[in-house]
Amino acid sequence: MQKVRIGIIGYGKMGSQHAKAFASGKIPNAVLTAVADIDPVRVGIAKESLDAAVTVFNSATALLASGLCDAIIPTVPHYYHPVLAVQAFEAGLHVLCEKPAGVYVKQAKQMQAAAQKSGKVFGIMLNQRTNPLYIRARQLVQDGTLGRIIHANWIITSWFRAQSYYDSSSWRATWKGEGGGVLLNQNPHNLDLWQWILGMPSRVKATMYYGKHRSIETEDDVFALFEFPDGAIGQYTTTIADSPGTNRLEITGTKGKLVVENDTLTLHVLQEDTDDFNERFKGEIGQPKSEIQHIAVEGVYTSHPGIITNFCNAILKQEPLIAPGEDGLASLAISNAMHLSSWTDESWVDIPCDDEVFCSFLEQKCGGQLPV
């Protein structure tokens, strides 16, 4: 196999975006061979816009059985990401799942089990992992540059969405259609980076507002407090209402503070570890001196094409995945716990939370029965 044959299931916003990446040559080690959608309008758009060599199907079942693909990318409403992935693995295909990994962890675990049983490559579209900014931030945390982490604070309010965005598709921001709001649509990227850089938090307490700023069922304003196993504390704020929004990540440790904002990394380096300073300092008020360093960031943000190319290289050359599919369960576990905290009087909830308890609450939100 010289190039991986890819099938895209779902030809909406993301499906068509990925198709354009193939058409423009951004995925050199793969070729788009098939597309499927159950919406006749979308099928028509696909036939008009795609190269004649791409076969267009009106069902996922037909695409999976066609023999035209080595791997699929499901770009459908969230509940069906695991459903189609399981079907693909059972058909002997590799899967690059769009984010999120699903709506609830219990379902995503079934996808993970099917992947393991199949032995096929399982990736997830966590494209912000290709951003050199966050790659470098992760390195600085993991190599001990910041010392023992004390606090992390992410204000990620640059996800502005107008009402027209939600009105564009009937499934958006509904419990039965999308399964969540800003956490499940936009924030899988940030929640993934949160745990990728800092490690998995152990519990969370979250306050959420549902349909506060837009005429939607799901959350559009979120405030959360995290605890990590080593005692570090994290604060997390997100919304779709702010314009201009903010994207500022601060990570403070005993050796300094890292600020990620406006595509730059600013490091405040302490001359002395605060733990050591605390032990020796005998004055009334004082703190270690610091200096500011602007950290150079090298590399190119390859985004979705970068993840797809890496996924295909994993198939062709056994290249390690940038975003293994199993990692998608981590950010989903965080958002499930955040929702459950909000639904249980903003109590502390362990991460991962109880799957059955979460699903029982979600069923109520969906009118008594989960879509799948």
Side-chain angles (χ1 to χ4, degrees):
M1 185 191 306
Q2 293 183 333
K3 289 191 175 185
V4 179
R5 300 175 301 161
I6 299 289
I8 295 174
I9 301 178
Y11 200 68
K13 178 183 177 182
M14 290 310 304
S16 58
Q17 179 177 317
H18 295 328
K20 290 176 182 177
F22 282 98
S24 61
K26 293 181 179 180
I27 321 294
N29 56 356
V31 58
L32 180 64
T33 55
V35 164
D37 203 298
I38 60 173
D39 182 348
V41 174
R42 290 290 177 186
V43 168
I45 293 173
K47 288 181 176 179
E48 288 182 5
S49 60
L50 295 172
D51 187 274
V54 180
T55 303
V56 180
F57 296 94
N58 60 10
S59 74
T61 302
L63 183 148
L64 293 174
S66 69
L68 295 175
C69 305
D70 304 305
I72 67 157
I73 305 175
T75 59
V76 294
H78 304 153
Y79 281 103
Y80 296 93
H81 288 176
V83 173
L84 290 174
V86 169
Q87 292 176 3
F89 287 130
E90 291 176 346
L93 303 179
H94 308 280
V95 175
L96 176 56
C97 184
E98 253 299 345
K99 61 83 186 166
V103 175
Y104 52 101
V105 171
K106 182 179 178 181
Q107 186 191 37
K109 287 178 179 176
Q110 297 170 358
M111 174 172 60
Q112 182 179 10
Q116 292 172 343
K117 182 178 179 180
S118 73
K120 297 299 180 179
V121 175
F122 177 31
I124 189 161
M125 193 67 77
L126 296 170
N127 54 284
Q128 292 200 22
R129 287 193 181 193
T130 69
N131 189 329
L133 200 68
Y134 295 114
I135 294 171
R136 188 73 180 102
R138 184 173 187 256
Q139 291 171 344
L140 291 169
V141 171
Q142 293 196 336
D143 69 13
T145 297
L146 299 180
R148 176 176 58 85
I149 303 302
I150 303 172
H151 285 117
N153 183 20
W154 203 340
I155 303 174
I156 175 61
T157 59
S158 55
W159 290 117
F160 184 87
R161 294 292 185 273
Q163 184 64 44
S164 57
Y165 171 80
Y166 299 104
D167 294 342
S168 66
S169 297
S170 60
W171 64 277
R172 289 197 184 280
T174 62
W175 292 113
K176 292 187 71 172
E178 191 164 15
V182 65
L183 284 185
L184 214 60
N185 188 317
Q186 290 81 27
N187 276 246
H189 295 298
N190 308 102
L191 292 177
D192 172 64
L193 294 172
W194 186 248
Q195 64 83 29
W196 191 56
I197 294 171
L198 298 166
M200 276 293 283
S202 53
R203 64 174 189 159
V204 65
K205 178 189 288 189
T207 298
M208 296 191 198
Y209 297 89
Y210 299 89
K212 179 179 181 180
H213 303 289
R214 303 290 182 265
S215 180
I216 59 175
E217 294 179 1
T218 56
E219 79 284 353
D220 55 11
D221 220 338
V222 178
F223 305 88
L225 182 65
F226 289 94
E227 285 186 359
F228 291 83
D230 60 2
I233 296 294
Q235 299 173 71
Y236 191 92
T237 302
T238 190
T239 184
I240 52 81
D242 290 6
S243 182
T246 298
N247 185 357
R248 180 182 176 91
L249 172 61
E250 290 188 6
I251 304 172
T252 304
T254 56
K255 294 182 178 180
K257 179 173 73 174
L258 179 67
V259 179
V260 186
E261 188 175 24
N262 297 326
D263 294 324
T264 61
L265 290 177
T266 304
L267 183 62
H268 300 255
V269 182
L270 297 179
Q271 293 182 1
E272 184 177 2
D273 187 294
T274 56
D275 286 341
D276 296 336
F277 181 87
N278 186 55
E279 285 292 322
R280 73 161 185 81
F281 184 70
K282 303 304 179 186
E284 183 176 350
I285 297 175
Q287 60 182 314
K289 294 181 179 180
S290 65
E291 63 176 12
I292 295 177
Q293 296 180 4
H294 297 286
I295 305 299
V297 177
E298 298 179 352
V300 178
Y301 179 28
T302 57
S303 195
H304 301 93
I307 290 291
I308 299 173
T309 300
N310 166 250
F311 169 74
C312 293
N313 276 338
I315 296 170
L316 297 169
K317 305 175 183 179
Q318 292 75 53
E319 181 176 290
L321 287 168
I322 295 171
E326 293 80 3
D327 286 11
L329 275 70
S331 56
L332 186 59
I334 295 173
S335 66
N336 277 188
M338 292 170 75
H339 274 122
L340 186 56
S341 174
S342 173
W343 297 338
T344 53
D345 299 322
E346 300 172 11
S347 59
W348 282 104
V349 170
D350 289 338
I351 304 172
C353 65
D354 187 297
D355 289 341
E356 298 301 330
V357 173
F358 176 82
C359 285
S360 68
F361 276 92
L362 183 60
E363 284 177 352
Q364 295 175 31
K365 297 289 184 182
C366 292
Q369 184 176 1
L370 295 175
V372 289

